[in-house]
Amino acid sequence: RERERESDRETTMRRGGFLSSSAAMAVVVAMLVVSAHTVCAEIVNQSVERNIDLSTGVVRGTTRISFVNSGSLDVTTYRLAFSSYDARRLAFLAVVVDDAHAADGAHAAPLAMHRDGNNVEVMLPRAVPPGATMRLRVSTVLVASLNPHPSAIEQSEKPRVMFL
């Protein structure tokens, strides 16, 4: 019986029910090669300007990012990372190319994004070649991020909040 079970396991592995160790290793190596090709281009943030608006019951953020591609391959995506605290409270996210040459009042369409946990991968509208720069404007809205401080006040006092 033990030999029959072992034979059944080997048959199942050959049919694709499970990957053998060499097949699994090949898959892992293939994934690493694809990942290395995708992220080997180096992005260096040249400047990051962040404005936070706490005047309403939510936290509105606007971040302007200027980056340069210092690698040897074209860059087609830009990854944003959020803390787990902010990722849970992220109610709105929009990323647009911040073009200084655009006409006043012109609004660019938000870029396509893919969210994976605390990270958001932004698909750039055009490839950024080595040595070139691009500016992005990231707009966020966080909910349940303001805590009253102190927690109890008199009716005549102005309410205050803390944002951490």
Side-chain angles (χ1 to χ4, degrees), residues 16-50:
F18 299 100
L19 291 175
S20 66
S21 61
S22 61
M25 183 58 79
V27 169
V28 170
V29 169
M31 288 180 1
L32 289 175
V33 168
V34 170
S35 295
H37 186 270
T38 309
V39 296
C40 70
E42 294 182 32
I43 295 175
V44 177
N45 290 335
Q46 290 181 319
S47 70
V48 178
E49 302 168 19
R50 186 173 183 204

Side-chain angles (χ1 to χ4, degrees), residues 8 11-12 16-17 20 22 35 47-48 50 55-56 64-65 72 93 109 129 135-136 149 151 156-157 161 164:
D8 288 343
T11 304
T12 303
S20 66
S22 61
S35 295
S47 70
V48 178
R50 186 173 183 204
S55 63
T56 61
R64 293 179 189 269
I65 302 168
S72 59
L93 173 65
R135 285 182 51 92
L136 300 176
H149 182 75
S151 57
S156 61
E157 292 180 290
V161 296
L164 299 176

Side-chain angles (χ1 to χ4, degrees), residues 1 34 90 159:
R1 286 193 160 217
V34 170
L90 188 62

Side-chain angles (χ1 to χ4, degrees), residues 13-152:
M13 289 176 75
R14 273 187 255 123
R15 288 187 183 155
F18 299 100
L19 291 175
S20 66
S21 61
S22 61
M25 183 58 79
V27 169
V28 170
V29 169
M31 288 180 1
L32 289 175
V33 168
V34 170
S35 295
H37 186 270
T38 309
V39 296
C40 70
E42 294 182 32
I43 295 175
V44 177
N45 290 335
Q46 290 181 319
S47 70
V48 178
E49 302 168 19
R50 186 173 183 204
N51 294 316
I52 299 174
D53 178 7
L54 303 175
S55 63
T56 61
V58 296
V59 178
R60 296 178 190 271
T62 303
T63 306
R64 293 179 189 269
I65 302 168
S66 177
F67 69 88
V68 64
N69 177 3
S70 65
S72 59
L73 298 175
D74 288 357
V75 172
T76 57
T77 61
Y78 186 91
R79 182 166 291 199
L80 298 169
F82 293 91
S83 69
S84 59
Y85 180 86
D86 286 347
R88 286 191 309 269
R89 288 160 175 76
L90 188 62
F92 175 78
L93 173 65
V95 181
V96 297
V97 174
D98 193 12
D99 190 4
H101 302 295
D104 291 338
H107 296 286
L111 303 178
M113 295 176 271
H114 172 71
R115 185 170 178 177
D116 182 22
N118 298 347
N119 298 314
V120 176
E121 191 167 324
V122 179
M123 284 39 138
L124 300 175
R126 61 187 178 277
V128 180
T133 62
M134 182 177 274
R135 285 182 51 92
L136 300 176
R137 187 175 63 236
V138 181
S139 300
T140 58
V141 175
L142 302 174
V143 295
S145 295
L146 300 175
N147 297 321
H149 182 75
S151 57

